[in-house]
mmCIF file of all heavy atoms in Angstrom:
data_model
loop_
_atom_site.group_PDB
_atom_site.id
_atom_site.type_symbol
_atom_site.label_atom_id
_atom_site.label_comp_id
_atom_site.label_asym_id
_atom_site.label_seq_id
_atom_site.Cartn_x
_atom_site.Cartn_y
_atom_site.Cartn_z
ATOM 1 N N ILE R 1320 17.657 -2.265 4.050
ATOM 2 C CA ILE R 1320 18.412 -1.007 4.136
ATOM 3 C C ILE R 1320 17.776 -0.026 5.121
ATOM 4 O O ILE R 1320 18.342 1.015 5.425
ATOM 5 C CB ILE R 1320 18.576 -0.350 2.751
ATOM 6 C CG1 ILE R 1320 17.220 -0.068 2.097
ATOM 7 C CG2 ILE R 1320 19.427 -1.233 1.846
ATOM 8 C CD1 ILE R 1320 17.330 0.697 0.774
ATOM 9 N N GLY R 1321 16.597 -0.376 5.642
ATOM 10 C CA GLY R 1321 15.950 0.453 6.659
ATOM 11 C C GLY R 1321 14.868 -0.347 7.350
ATOM 12 O O GLY R 1321 14.190 -1.162 6.718
ATOM 13 N N GLU R 1322 14.721 -0.150 8.665
ATOM 14 C CA GLU R 1322 13.678 -0.868 9.411
ATOM 15 C C GLU R 1322 13.331 -0.113 10.681
ATOM 16 O O GLU R 1322 14.044 0.811 11.095
ATOM 17 C CB GLU R 1322 14.133 -2.287 9.744
ATOM 18 C CG GLU R 1322 15.388 -2.379 10.591
ATOM 19 C CD GLU R 1322 15.875 -3.812 10.723
ATOM 20 O OE1 GLU R 1322 15.055 -4.734 10.580
ATOM 21 O OE2 GLU R 1322 17.071 -4.002 10.954
ATOM 22 N N THR R 1323 12.227 -0.511 11.308
ATOM 23 C CA THR R 1323 11.807 0.169 12.526
ATOM 24 C C THR R 1323 12.732 -0.189 13.687
ATOM 25 O O THR R 1323 13.211 -1.323 13.777
ATOM 26 C CB THR R 1323 10.353 -0.174 12.883
ATOM 27 O OG1 THR R 1323 9.970 0.555 14.051
ATOM 28 C CG2 THR R 1323 10.171 -1.657 13.154
ATOM 29 N N ILE R 1324 12.981 0.797 14.541
ATOM 30 C CA ILE R 1324 13.813 0.548 15.716
ATOM 31 C C ILE R 1324 12.952 0.277 16.952
ATOM 32 O O ILE R 1324 13.468 0.012 18.026
ATOM 33 C CB ILE R 1324 14.767 1.731 15.984
ATOM 34 C CG1 ILE R 1324 13.992 3.030 16.215
ATOM 35 C CG2 ILE R 1324 15.759 1.889 14.844
ATOM 36 C CD1 ILE R 1324 14.856 4.214 16.627
ATOM 37 N N ASP R 1325 11.625 0.361 16.786
ATOM 38 C CA ASP R 1325 10.717 0.067 17.906
ATOM 39 C C ASP R 1325 9.416 -0.512 17.365
ATOM 40 O O ASP R 1325 9.409 -1.610 16.843
ATOM 41 C CB ASP R 1325 10.480 1.312 18.784
ATOM 42 C CG ASP R 1325 10.275 2.591 17.985
ATOM 43 O OD1 ASP R 1325 9.376 2.603 17.129
ATOM 44 O OD2 ASP R 1325 11.006 3.570 18.212
ATOM 45 N N ASP R 1326 8.313 0.231 17.477
ATOM 46 C CA ASP R 1326 7.023 -0.264 16.992
ATOM 47 C C ASP R 1326 6.998 -0.334 15.468
ATOM 48 O O ASP R 1326 7.659 0.445 14.785
ATOM 49 C CB ASP R 1326 5.884 0.662 17.451
ATOM 50 C CG ASP R 1326 5.602 0.527 18.941
ATOM 51 O OD1 ASP R 1326 6.240 -0.315 19.589
ATOM 52 O OD2 ASP R 1326 4.742 1.272 19.443
ATOM 53 N N ALA R 1327 6.189 -1.259 14.952
ATOM 54 C CA ALA R 1327 5.936 -1.314 13.520
ATOM 55 C C ALA R 1327 4.778 -0.381 13.187
ATOM 56 O O ALA R 1327 4.036 0.058 14.067
ATOM 57 C CB ALA R 1327 5.601 -2.741 13.104
ATOM 58 N N VAL R 1328 4.617 -0.096 11.896
ATOM 59 C CA VAL R 1328 3.578 0.850 11.491
ATOM 60 C C VAL R 1328 2.183 0.323 11.844
ATOM 61 O O VAL R 1328 1.288 1.091 12.223
ATOM 62 C CB VAL R 1328 3.698 1.176 9.981
ATOM 63 C CG1 VAL R 1328 3.464 -0.049 9.110
ATOM 64 C CG2 VAL R 1328 2.744 2.292 9.594
ATOM 65 N N GLY R 1329 1.976 -0.992 11.741
ATOM 66 C CA GLY R 1329 0.672 -1.554 12.102
ATOM 67 C C GLY R 1329 0.358 -1.359 13.572
ATOM 68 O O GLY R 1329 -0.800 -1.115 13.957
ATOM 69 N N GLU R 1330 1.392 -1.455 14.413
ATOM 70 C CA GLU R 1330 1.206 -1.203 15.846
ATOM 71 C C GLU R 1330 0.819 0.244 16.101
ATOM 72 O O GLU R 1330 0.010 0.535 16.986
ATOM 73 C CB GLU R 1330 2.496 -1.531 16.604
ATOM 74 C CG GLU R 1330 2.831 -2.998 16.695
ATOM 75 C CD GLU R 1330 4.164 -3.207 17.399
ATOM 76 O OE1 GLU R 1330 5.208 -3.100 16.735
ATOM 77 O OE2 GLU R 1330 4.152 -3.485 18.614
ATOM 78 N N ALA R 1331 1.408 1.163 15.334
ATOM 79 C CA ALA R 1331 1.082 2.583 15.496
ATOM 80 C C ALA R 1331 -0.391 2.824 15.215
ATOM 81 O O ALA R 1331 -1.066 3.571 15.944
ATOM 82 C CB ALA R 1331 1.951 3.423 14.560
ATOM 83 N N PHE R 1332 -0.913 2.181 14.177
ATOM 84 C CA PHE R 1332 -2.339 2.299 13.873
ATOM 85 C C PHE R 1332 -3.190 1.666 14.976
ATOM 86 O O PHE R 1332 -4.138 2.277 15.475
ATOM 87 C CB PHE R 1332 -2.657 1.616 12.535
ATOM 88 C CG PHE R 1332 -2.436 2.489 11.326
ATOM 89 C CD1 PHE R 1332 -1.454 2.180 10.401
ATOM 90 C CD2 PHE R 1332 -3.218 3.607 11.104
ATOM 91 C CE1 PHE R 1332 -1.247 2.970 9.281
ATOM 92 C CE2 PHE R 1332 -3.025 4.413 9.984
ATOM 93 C CZ PHE R 1332 -2.042 4.094 9.074
ATOM 94 N N ASP R 1333 -2.838 0.439 15.358
ATOM 95 C CA ASP R 1333 -3.668 -0.296 16.321
ATOM 96 C C ASP R 1333 -3.647 0.327 17.712
ATOM 97 O O ASP R 1333 -4.678 0.432 18.381
ATOM 98 C CB ASP R 1333 -3.219 -1.758 16.401
ATOM 99 C CG ASP R 1333 -3.590 -2.543 15.153
ATOM 100 O OD1 ASP R 1333 -4.547 -2.142 14.468
ATOM 101 O OD2 ASP R 1333 -2.923 -3.557 14.864
ATOM 102 N N LYS R 1334 -2.472 0.766 18.171
ATOM 103 C CA LYS R 1334 -2.376 1.356 19.506
ATOM 104 C C LYS R 1334 -3.041 2.734 19.551
ATOM 105 O O LYS R 1334 -3.660 3.096 20.552
ATOM 106 C CB LYS R 1334 -0.912 1.425 19.947
ATOM 107 C CG LYS R 1334 -0.326 0.048 20.240
ATOM 108 C CD LYS R 1334 1.153 0.110 20.603
ATOM 109 C CE LYS R 1334 1.713 -1.279 20.889
ATOM 110 N NZ LYS R 1334 3.164 -1.254 21.191
ATOM 111 N N SER R 1335 -2.934 3.487 18.461
ATOM 112 C CA SER R 1335 -3.629 4.770 18.390
ATOM 113 C C SER R 1335 -5.145 4.539 18.399
ATOM 114 O O SER R 1335 -5.892 5.257 19.068
ATOM 115 C CB SER R 1335 -3.221 5.529 17.121
ATOM 116 O OG SER R 1335 -1.848 5.833 17.132
ATOM 117 N N GLY R 1336 -5.563 3.523 17.644
ATOM 118 C CA GLY R 1336 -6.986 3.203 17.603
ATOM 119 C C GLY R 1336 -7.523 2.779 18.953
ATOM 120 O O GLY R 1336 -8.651 3.127 19.327
ATOM 121 N N LYS R 1337 -6.716 2.056 19.719
ATOM 122 C CA LYS R 1337 -7.135 1.630 21.056
ATOM 123 C C LYS R 1337 -7.353 2.835 21.959
ATOM 124 O O LYS R 1337 -8.309 2.874 22.749
ATOM 125 C CB LYS R 1337 -6.069 0.695 21.652
ATOM 126 C CG LYS R 1337 -6.522 -0.036 22.907
ATOM 127 C CD LYS R 1337 -5.495 -1.070 23.327
ATOM 128 C CE LYS R 1337 -5.996 -1.847 24.548
ATOM 129 N NZ LYS R 1337 -5.012 -2.875 24.978
ATOM 130 N N LEU R 1338 -6.483 3.853 21.842
ATOM 131 C CA LEU R 1338 -6.640 5.088 22.624
ATOM 132 C C LEU R 1338 -7.952 5.791 22.296
ATOM 133 O O LEU R 1338 -8.545 6.445 23.152
ATOM 134 C CB LEU R 1338 -5.484 6.055 22.325
ATOM 135 C CG LEU R 1338 -4.075 5.650 22.743
ATOM 136 C CD1 LEU R 1338 -3.066 6.655 22.208
ATOM 137 C CD2 LEU R 1338 -3.980 5.555 24.260
ATOM 138 N N LEU R 1339 -8.400 5.619 21.058
ATOM 139 C CA LEU R 1339 -9.611 6.296 20.604
ATOM 140 C C LEU R 1339 -10.868 5.452 20.806
ATOM 141 O O LEU R 1339 -11.968 5.856 20.430
ATOM 142 C CB LEU R 1339 -9.474 6.652 19.118
ATOM 143 C CG LEU R 1339 -8.293 7.558 18.750
ATOM 144 C CD1 LEU R 1339 -8.181 7.716 17.241
ATOM 145 C CD2 LEU R 1339 -8.427 8.919 19.432
ATOM 146 N N GLY R 1340 -10.678 4.262 21.375
ATOM 147 C CA GLY R 1340 -11.825 3.397 21.643
ATOM 148 C C GLY R 1340 -12.279 2.589 20.446
ATOM 149 O O GLY R 1340 -13.395 2.063 20.426
ATOM 150 N N LEU R 1341 -11.414 2.473 19.431
ATOM 151 C CA LEU R 1341 -11.757 1.679 18.249
ATOM 152 C C LEU R 1341 -11.419 0.214 18.505
ATOM 153 O O LEU R 1341 -10.622 -0.124 19.370
ATOM 154 C CB LEU R 1341 -10.990 2.195 17.026
ATOM 155 C CG LEU R 1341 -11.199 3.679 16.677
ATOM 156 C CD1 LEU R 1341 -10.354 4.070 15.465
ATOM 157 C CD2 LEU R 1341 -12.667 3.975 16.418
ATOM 158 N N GLY R 1342 -12.027 -0.678 17.736
ATOM 159 C CA GLY R 1342 -11.792 -2.102 17.913
ATOM 160 C C GLY R 1342 -10.452 -2.540 17.361
ATOM 161 O O GLY R 1342 -9.670 -1.740 16.836
ATOM 162 N N TYR R 1343 -10.162 -3.833 17.496
ATOM 163 C CA TYR R 1343 -8.923 -4.416 16.977
ATOM 164 C C TYR R 1343 -9.247 -5.329 15.798
ATOM 165 O O TYR R 1343 -10.184 -6.119 15.881
ATOM 166 C CB TYR R 1343 -8.208 -5.209 18.078
ATOM 167 C CG TYR R 1343 -6.979 -5.952 17.572
ATOM 168 C CD1 TYR R 1343 -5.762 -5.310 17.481
ATOM 169 C CD2 TYR R 1343 -7.081 -7.280 17.164
ATOM 170 C CE1 TYR R 1343 -4.647 -5.980 17.001
ATOM 171 C CE2 TYR R 1343 -5.974 -7.953 16.674
ATOM 172 C CZ TYR R 1343 -4.771 -7.305 16.606
ATOM 173 O OH TYR R 1343 -3.662 -7.963 16.118
ATOM 174 N N PRO R 1344 -8.503 -5.268 14.710
ATOM 175 C CA PRO R 1344 -7.443 -4.290 14.431
ATOM 176 C C PRO R 1344 -8.036 -2.931 14.067
ATOM 177 O O PRO R 1344 -9.080 -2.862 13.422
ATOM 178 C CB PRO R 1344 -6.694 -4.909 13.253
ATOM 179 C CG PRO R 1344 -7.730 -5.742 12.554
ATOM 180 C CD PRO R 1344 -8.646 -6.262 13.624
ATOM 181 N N ALA R 1345 -7.347 -1.867 14.451
ATOM 182 C CA ALA R 1345 -7.891 -0.518 14.277
ATOM 183 C C ALA R 1345 -7.542 0.111 12.934
ATOM 184 O O ALA R 1345 -8.184 1.077 12.513
ATOM 185 C CB ALA R 1345 -7.390 0.390 15.399
ATOM 186 N N GLY R 1346 -6.527 -0.421 12.265
ATOM 187 C CA GLY R 1346 -6.067 0.171 11.012
ATOM 188 C C GLY R 1346 -7.161 0.405 9.981
ATOM 189 O O GLY R 1346 -7.303 1.526 9.462
ATOM 190 N N PRO R 1347 -7.980 -0.610 9.673
ATOM 191 C CA PRO R 1347 -9.041 -0.412 8.674
ATOM 192 C C PRO R 1347 -10.060 0.650 9.089
ATOM 193 O O PRO R 1347 -10.545 1.410 8.238
ATOM 194 C CB PRO R 1347 -9.691 -1.797 8.576
ATOM 195 C CG PRO R 1347 -8.615 -2.749 8.995
ATOM 196 C CD PRO R 1347 -7.853 -2.028 10.058
ATOM 197 N N GLU R 1348 -10.371 0.731 10.382
ATOM 198 C CA GLU R 1348 -11.339 1.727 10.863
ATOM 199 C C GLU R 1348 -10.751 3.138 10.778
ATOM 200 O O GLU R 1348 -11.442 4.089 10.396
ATOM 201 C CB GLU R 1348 -11.741 1.408 12.303
ATOM 202 C CG GLU R 1348 -12.796 2.333 12.887
ATOM 203 C CD GLU R 1348 -14.167 2.196 12.245
ATOM 204 O OE1 GLU R 1348 -14.405 1.200 11.528
ATOM 205 O OE2 GLU R 1348 -14.997 3.114 12.437
ATOM 206 N N ILE R 1349 -9.473 3.285 11.121
ATOM 207 C CA ILE R 1349 -8.815 4.596 10.992
ATOM 208 C C ILE R 1349 -8.790 5.014 9.523
ATOM 209 O O ILE R 1349 -9.063 6.174 9.189
ATOM 210 C CB ILE R 1349 -7.390 4.552 11.580
ATOM 211 C CG1 ILE R 1349 -7.456 4.433 13.112
ATOM 212 C CG2 ILE R 1349 -6.592 5.793 11.181
ATOM 213 C CD1 ILE R 1349 -6.107 4.295 13.789
ATOM 214 N N ASP R 1350 -8.488 4.078 8.643
ATOM 215 C CA ASP R 1350 -8.457 4.364 7.209
ATOM 216 C C ASP R 1350 -9.821 4.849 6.717
ATOM 217 O O ASP R 1350 -9.929 5.833 5.972
ATOM 218 C CB ASP R 1350 -8.031 3.099 6.459
ATOM 219 C CG ASP R 1350 -7.797 3.333 4.970
ATOM 220 O OD1 ASP R 1350 -7.560 4.495 4.582
ATOM 221 O OD2 ASP R 1350 -7.842 2.356 4.199
ATOM 222 N N LYS R 1351 -10.874 4.167 7.163
ATOM 223 C CA LYS R 1351 -12.234 4.532 6.741
ATOM 224 C C LYS R 1351 -12.618 5.922 7.236
ATOM 225 O O LYS R 1351 -13.149 6.745 6.502
ATOM 226 C CB LYS R 1351 -13.228 3.482 7.273
ATOM 227 C CG LYS R 1351 -14.658 3.697 6.805
ATOM 228 C CD LYS R 1351 -15.549 2.525 7.224
ATOM 229 C CE LYS R 1351 -15.925 2.626 8.681
ATOM 230 N NZ LYS R 1351 -16.928 1.579 9.073
ATOM 231 N N ARG R 1352 -12.310 6.197 8.511
ATOM 232 C CA ARG R 1352 -12.674 7.493 9.104
ATOM 233 C C ARG R 1352 -11.792 8.626 8.569
ATOM 234 O O ARG R 1352 -12.229 9.776 8.492
ATOM 235 C CB ARG R 1352 -12.583 7.409 10.625
ATOM 236 C CG ARG R 1352 -13.679 6.539 11.232
ATOM 237 C CD ARG R 1352 -13.658 6.580 12.749
ATOM 238 N NE ARG R 1352 -14.809 5.876 13.303
ATOM 239 C CZ ARG R 1352 -16.019 6.409 13.457
ATOM 240 N NH1 ARG R 1352 -16.225 7.671 13.108
ATOM 241 N NH2 ARG R 1352 -17.004 5.710 13.968
ATOM 242 N N ALA R 1353 -10.550 8.296 8.203
ATOM 243 C CA ALA R 1353 -9.634 9.320 7.687
ATOM 244 C C ALA R 1353 -10.177 9.960 6.414
ATOM 245 O O ALA R 1353 -9.934 11.141 6.146
ATOM 246 C CB ALA R 1353 -8.258 8.704 7.429
ATOM 247 N N LYS R 1354 -10.929 9.190 5.630
ATOM 248 C CA LYS R 1354 -11.511 9.725 4.393
ATOM 249 C C LYS R 1354 -12.545 10.813 4.678
ATOM 250 O O LYS R 1354 -12.847 11.629 3.803
ATOM 251 C CB LYS R 1354 -12.164 8.592 3.598
ATOM 252 C CG LYS R 1354 -11.193 7.539 3.109
ATOM 253 C CD LYS R 1354 -11.943 6.373 2.476
ATOM 254 C CE LYS R 1354 -11.005 5.234 2.133
ATOM 255 N NZ LYS R 1354 -11.724 4.037 1.649
ATOM 256 N N LEU R 1355 -13.091 10.808 5.894
ATOM 257 C CA LEU R 1355 -14.159 11.760 6.251
ATOM 258 C C LEU R 1355 -13.633 12.948 7.048
ATOM 259 O O LEU R 1355 -14.391 13.870 7.362
ATOM 260 C CB LEU R 1355 -15.234 11.030 7.077
ATOM 261 C CG LEU R 1355 -15.829 9.764 6.455
ATOM 262 C CD1 LEU R 1355 -16.748 9.062 7.456
ATOM 263 C CD2 LEU R 1355 -16.584 10.086 5.174
ATOM 264 N N GLY R 1356 -12.330 12.923 7.395
ATOM 265 C CA GLY R 1356 -11.780 13.961 8.260
ATOM 266 C C GLY R 1356 -10.791 14.870 7.568
ATOM 267 O O GLY R 1356 -10.425 14.664 6.407
ATOM 268 N N ASN R 1357 -10.330 15.853 8.333
ATOM 269 C CA ASN R 1357 -9.338 16.811 7.859
ATOM 270 C C ASN R 1357 -7.945 16.333 8.296
ATOM 271 O O ASN R 1357 -7.643 16.324 9.499
ATOM 272 C CB ASN R 1357 -9.627 18.192 8.445
ATOM 273 C CG ASN R 1357 -8.563 19.228 8.094
ATOM 274 O OD1 ASN R 1357 -7.656 18.965 7.304
ATOM 275 N ND2 ASN R 1357 -8.660 20.405 8.684
ATOM 276 N N PRO R 1358 -7.078 15.967 7.355
ATOM 277 C CA PRO R 1358 -5.760 15.409 7.727
ATOM 278 C C PRO R 1358 -4.822 16.414 8.394
ATOM 279 O O PRO R 1358 -3.818 16.012 8.983
ATOM 280 C CB PRO R 1358 -5.193 14.931 6.393
ATOM 281 C CG PRO R 1358 -5.900 15.730 5.365
ATOM 282 C CD PRO R 1358 -7.269 15.978 5.903
ATOM 283 N N LYS R 1359 -5.148 17.696 8.303
ATOM 284 C CA LYS R 1359 -4.289 18.722 8.901
ATOM 285 C C LYS R 1359 -4.938 19.395 10.107
ATOM 286 O O LYS R 1359 -4.486 20.442 10.565
ATOM 287 C CB LYS R 1359 -3.908 19.758 7.844
ATOM 288 C CG LYS R 1359 -3.111 19.157 6.695
ATOM 289 C CD LYS R 1359 -2.685 20.199 5.677
ATOM 290 C CE LYS R 1359 -1.903 19.550 4.541
ATOM 291 N NZ LYS R 1359 -1.492 20.530 3.514
ATOM 292 N N ALA R 1360 -5.985 18.742 10.630
ATOM 293 C CA ALA R 1360 -6.703 19.317 11.776
ATOM 294 C C ALA R 1360 -5.825 19.361 13.017
ATOM 295 O O ALA R 1360 -5.835 20.343 13.770
ATOM 296 C CB ALA R 1360 -7.972 18.515 12.055
ATOM 297 N N PHE R 1361 -5.061 18.287 13.250
ATOM 298 C CA PHE R 1361 -4.219 18.192 14.449
ATOM 299 C C PHE R 1361 -2.809 17.775 14.023
ATOM 300 O O PHE R 1361 -2.541 16.591 13.820
ATOM 301 C CB PHE R 1361 -4.803 17.188 15.442
ATOM 302 C CG PHE R 1361 -6.232 17.457 15.799
ATOM 303 C CD1 PHE R 1361 -7.255 16.627 15.343
ATOM 304 C CD2 PHE R 1361 -6.573 18.554 16.577
ATOM 305 C CE1 PHE R 1361 -8.571 16.871 15.667
ATOM 306 C CE2 PHE R 1361 -7.900 18.822 16.908
ATOM 307 C CZ PHE R 1361 -8.900 17.987 16.448
ATOM 308 N N PRO R 1362 -1.902 18.722 13.874
ATOM 309 C CA PRO R 1362 -0.547 18.388 13.400
ATOM 310 C C PRO R 1362 0.265 17.641 14.456
ATOM 311 O O PRO R 1362 0.398 18.112 15.584
ATOM 312 C CB PRO R 1362 0.073 19.758 13.092
ATOM 313 C CG PRO R 1362 -0.716 20.740 13.894
ATOM 314 C CD PRO R 1362 -2.095 20.175 14.043
ATOM 315 N N PHE R 1363 0.764 16.481 14.084
ATOM 316 C CA PHE R 1363 1.650 15.706 14.959
ATOM 317 C C PHE R 1363 3.070 15.788 14.411
ATOM 318 O O PHE R 1363 3.280 15.859 13.197
ATOM 319 C CB PHE R 1363 1.199 14.246 15.048
ATOM 320 C CG PHE R 1363 -0.160 14.062 15.672
ATOM 321 C CD1 PHE R 1363 -1.250 13.667 14.906
ATOM 322 C CD2 PHE R 1363 -0.340 14.307 17.027
ATOM 323 C CE1 PHE R 1363 -2.502 13.502 15.482
ATOM 324 C CE2 PHE R 1363 -1.588 14.144 17.610
ATOM 325 C CZ PHE R 1363 -2.672 13.747 16.833
ATOM 326 N N THR R 1364 4.040 15.761 15.307
ATOM 327 C CA THR R 1364 5.444 15.874 14.910
ATOM 328 C C THR R 1364 5.975 14.527 14.437
ATOM 329 O O THR R 1364 5.741 13.497 15.081
ATOM 330 C CB THR R 1364 6.298 16.365 16.099
ATOM 331 O OG1 THR R 1364 5.741 17.581 16.590
ATOM 332 C CG2 THR R 1364 7.730 16.598 15.677
#
């Protein structure tokens, strides 16, 4: 009843992580670092 029209959510994590210089797959590293950061520091639309 609903699906992505472009990238999948895993790609969003991995491609964002690549921009930040994180390894592949980046999802687990983003998850780990997110626990130490402020989720409202940089608001994205």
